[in-house]
Amino acid sequence: MNEKIQKQYNIADEVAELLLLRHGNTPKAFVHTYGCQGNVADSERIKGMLTKMGYTMTEDKEEADLILYNTCAIREHAEDRVFGNVGAIKRLKQTNPNLIIALCGCMMQQEHIREKIYNSYPFVDIVFGTHNQYTVPEIFKSYLLKGKRFFADMTETNEIVEGMPALRDNSAKAWLPIMYGCDNFCSYCVVPYVRGRERSRASADIIAEFKEIVAEGYKDITLLGQNVNSYGKGLDEDINFSKLLRSLNELDGEFTIRFMTSHPKDCTKELIDTIAECEKLSKHIHLPVQSGNNRILKEMNRHYTREKYLELISYAKEKIEGLSLTSDIIVGFPGETYEEFCDTLSLVKEVGYTSLFTFIFSSRKGTKASLMEDPVSYDEKNKWFKELCDLQEDIASEHSAKMLGKAYRVLCEGKSKTLDGYFAGRTDGNVIIEFPCDNEDLIGKFCHVKVTEPLNWLVRGELIK
Ligand code: 5AD
Ligand code: SF4
């Protein structure tokens, strides 16, 4: 085992004893994750460490001895939600004075946020960031021994410490980080500042973890990175993302491989051919375009043009049968005019995405875009935003209508959240499909469902025996 992790395991044993003294019995941890799947994957590893420290997990804040929020800094709205929810748990310390409140993740990497937490949220006990997660036992030990608030060292490190245990939830889907950080510095984005430089995990480590996940029974595995297409840069091995995908595709077992996020500037025809040729790779590409206008793309520092993007899309459509495309779009980038926004609408129409993640521009401290003039009002941007959502709803309905009467292989994920007596799963193209079912043994398994009722963002159907 990695020496650094071994050291943390040893400290975890000491922490377990200290926690037992503090709480009198097995302590319970409530961990909540904001933001992207990268954060979800981090939380799984942090929960793995917390388990080593003697915690059991709870879904109920009221009975927790530790409340840990893993935070997101991508938009102001995400940060506001964290501040609101942190404020709301202060009262829990009155009923449980031994309660520990801890914050970690992207927001905490920003100095102005740490200052605000330090000065205005004195009931927050522990703060750590994205670079020192594997030292959770050491951080808790310092807090418990010193008995005063502990704000961890936030120094950036490019090191990847392998071997953190992951406590995955017990569903059919698993997340597997293949790289960390981002070097792209899109002008609106805070990620390169809070997650540091791009670095890839060695392929042997990824393959070993992938095999473990398959052996545990996971059937849908998503490889994660801010820009998976540049996987392998800086490693001492002859590898790139396509080669990694081909090695994983060859492994034994019944599973689907997904990945996100692809950056169009590094998305190659080699990658598209790989998706077309590897039977275990999902025929779904999430390829965030952000804008359909060349001036805006340049201002965003995206390094591709509308034409280059559309060329990739038409190559992919030609090569990959049953291809499903999704994207991220930012509405109202500083200085964007309505005419420029219309180029985004026309691109969305031309591509015909299965679904879209749409965001109104949010100014992030420290980014280039935060210094740009932004004359269009929020209300106006909101109108544009609604226009885009309406357009996408029509496109999605058309896609769903085409699914009527067809049968799909679906990974059953669990009970439907909206309909009693229904289960929900996803098609290979990542479309949610609900079907009447009462057989819990089906959860986590593949089944076949025929679509009977297409709706706009999901479809309903019936199991084919
Ligand atoms: N404002 C709005 N949306 C943003 N995103 C990233 N930064 C911002 C921002 N400052 C969006 C992009 C990215 C997705 C994860 O979040 O579309 O692809
Ligand atoms: Fe942000 Fe661009 Fe990096 Fe994605 S690629 S995390 S949008 S800087």
Side-chain angles (χ1 to χ4, degrees):
M1 174 185 292
N2 181 313
E3 256 174 48
K4 292 192 171 174
I5 294 293
Q6 185 60 59
K7 179 181 158 203
Q8 294 302 323
Y9 273 24
N10 297 342
I11 300 174
D13 291 341
E14 293 173 47
V15 173
E17 280 175 28
L18 292 170
L19 286 172
L20 212 53
L21 279 177
R22 180 184 176 108
H23 299 292
N25 51 24
T26 307
K28 294 193 174 102
F30 172 90
V31 178
H32 184 74
T33 310
Y34 296 83
C36 68
Q37 301 313 330
N39 257 15
V40 172
D42 282 351
S43 289
E44 290 176 348
R45 283 163 156 75
I46 294 168
K47 283 193 244 175
M49 274 301 189
L50 294 178
T51 308
K52 291 272 171 219
M53 288 153 54
Y55 281 106
T56 56
M57 298 301 134
T58 173
E59 300 285 313
D60 180 6
K61 280 200 273 292
E62 306 284 330
E63 64 160 20
D65 301 296
L66 164 68
I67 296 180
L68 172 68
Y69 286 156
N70 189 1
T71 64
C72 169
I74 197 94
R75 283 170 291 275
E76 194 178 354
H77 177 67
E79 293 191 341
D80 289 346
R81 270 176 54 213
V82 170
F83 281 124
N85 290 343
V86 173
I89 52 176
K90 180 181 173 187
R91 65 171 180 89
L92 293 176
K93 281 208 163 174
Q94 282 157 10
T95 41
N96 179 4
N98 281 331
L99 170 66
I100 299 173
I101 296 181
L103 305 178
C104 68
C106 293
M107 258 173 97
M108 300 306 130
Q109 285 296 137
Q110 304 175 100
E111 202 176 330
H112 69 282
I113 299 283
R114 284 199 304 279
E115 268 170 25
K116 182 165 168 179
I117 297 287
Y118 191 84
N119 295 325
S120 309
Y121 295 79
F123 52 92
V124 171
D125 303 294
I126 295 176
V127 164
F128 58 98
T130 58
H131 291 269
N132 45 13
Q133 285 168 356
Y134 77 95
T135 65
V136 163
E138 209 172 324
I139 290 168
F140 273 66
K141 183 180 166 188
S142 300
Y143 167 73
L144 290 166
L145 289 182
K146 290 187 185 135
K148 57 179 193 197
R149 304 175 79 194
F150 188 81
F151 281 52
D153 174 23
M154 294 286 165
T155 315
E156 267 194 27
T157 149
N158 277 342
E159 186 186 26
I160 296 179
V161 179
E162 289 290 348
M164 245 177 116
L167 184 67
R168 294 193 162 85
D169 67 1
N170 221 358
S171 79
K173 288 169 79 76
W175 313 105
L176 178 54
I178 62 166
M179 59 204 296
Y180 301 96
C182 181
D183 283 351
N184 292 308
F185 291 94
C186 299
S187 61
Y188 51 81
C189 188
V190 76
V191 168
Y193 304 94
V194 294
R195 292 233 160 222
R197 299 291 54 77
E198 182 181 297
R199 55 229 182 254
S200 294
R201 292 177 72 188
S203 64
D205 291 325
I206 297 170
I207 293 169
E209 191 172 352
F210 193 100
K211 284 183 182 162
E212 272 170 34
I213 294 173
V214 172
E216 282 167 26
Y218 288 96
K219 300 260 184 289
D220 188 305
I221 300 162
T222 306
L223 311 179
L224 297 174
Q226 299 299 341
N227 178 11
V228 289
N229 306 120
S230 72
Y231 170 76
K233 270 189 205 156
L235 287 179
D236 284 340
E237 45 176 321
D238 174 26
I239 190 123
N240 65 17
F241 187 49
S242 297
K243 284 185 186 162
L244 177 72
L245 287 174
R246 284 188 191 274
S247 320
L248 296 173
N249 187 64
E250 275 166 23
L251 299 177
D252 289 337
E254 192 193 26
F255 53 81
T256 302
I257 309 169
R258 302 180 191 275
F259 55 84
M260 58 187 202
T261 291
S262 283
H263 194 308
K265 84 176 162 66
D266 298 313
C267 180
T268 56
K269 292 193 171 162
E270 181 195 7
L271 174 64
I272 291 170
D273 294 343
T274 305
I275 299 171
E277 288 159 25
C278 293
E279 73 287 356
K280 288 175 182 166
L281 274 184
S282 155
K283 306 303 173 219
H284 164 220
I285 314 180
H286 181 61
L287 198 62
V289 68
Q290 312 296 358
S291 163
N293 176 272
N294 282 338
R295 189 189 75 84
I296 296 297
L297 286 172
K298 196 151 198 280
E299 290 289 304
M300 287 177 162
N301 195 31
R302 292 288 289 177
H303 296 281
Y304 55 84
T305 59
R306 173 190 177 99
E307 292 72 28
K308 163 97 194 306
Y309 183 89
L310 288 173
E311 189 193 315
L312 265 176
I313 295 287
S314 66
Y315 184 77
K317 281 182 178 170
E318 189 186 302
K319 284 273 166 163
I320 306 172
E321 217 190 290
L323 174 67
S324 161
L325 288 159
T326 57
S327 194
D328 294 347
I329 286 185
I330 296 179
V331 175
F333 184 81
E336 184 175 35
T337 64
Y338 182 69
E339 285 66 37
E340 288 167 334
F341 166 68
C342 287
D343 287 341
T344 299
L345 293 178
S346 73
L347 180 135
V348 165
K349 253 189 234 158
E350 188 167 340
V351 176
Y353 295 107
T354 316
S355 61
L356 276 185
F357 298 90
T358 46
F359 312 101
I360 292 181
F361 170 77
S362 168
S363 182
R364 305 285 63 215
K365 203 177 163 121
T367 62
K368 270 203 170 150
S370 70
L371 306 173
M372 296 176 186
E373 272 192 50
D374 191 4
V376 177
S377 70
Y378 188 83
D379 281 354
E380 185 62 19
K381 291 182 184 183
N382 215 6
K383 280 190 210 145
W384 303 359
F385 182 79
K386 289 215 168 75
E387 200 176 340
L388 175 61
C389 295
D390 289 347
L391 170 65
Q392 181 53 36
E393 207 174 298
D394 292 345
I395 296 171
S397 305
E398 280 172 32
H399 280 298
S400 301
K402 282 189 201 143
M403 294 173 77
L404 180 64
K406 291 190 186 143
Y408 292 85
R409 187 176 83 143
V410 169
L411 178 63
C412 177
E413 290 181 10
K415 289 187 178 165
S416 156
K417 293 195 179 93
T418 49
L419 267 185
D420 262 359
Y422 276 70
F423 279 27
R426 262 165 221 273
T427 66
D428 184 73
N430 223 16
V431 175
I432 299 172
I433 187 160
E434 293 184 334
F435 48 93
C437 180
D438 56 11
N439 178 9
E440 298 209 1
D441 289 346
L442 210 59
I443 297 173
K445 302 209 174 86
F446 286 109
C447 55
H448 286 84
V449 181
K450 186 172 159 191
V451 175
T452 53
E453 191 187 354
L455 302 167
N456 49 26
W457 59 275
L458 57 74
V459 297
R460 298 220 170 94
E462 55 198 27
L463 271 174
I464 304 174
K465 293 281 177 318

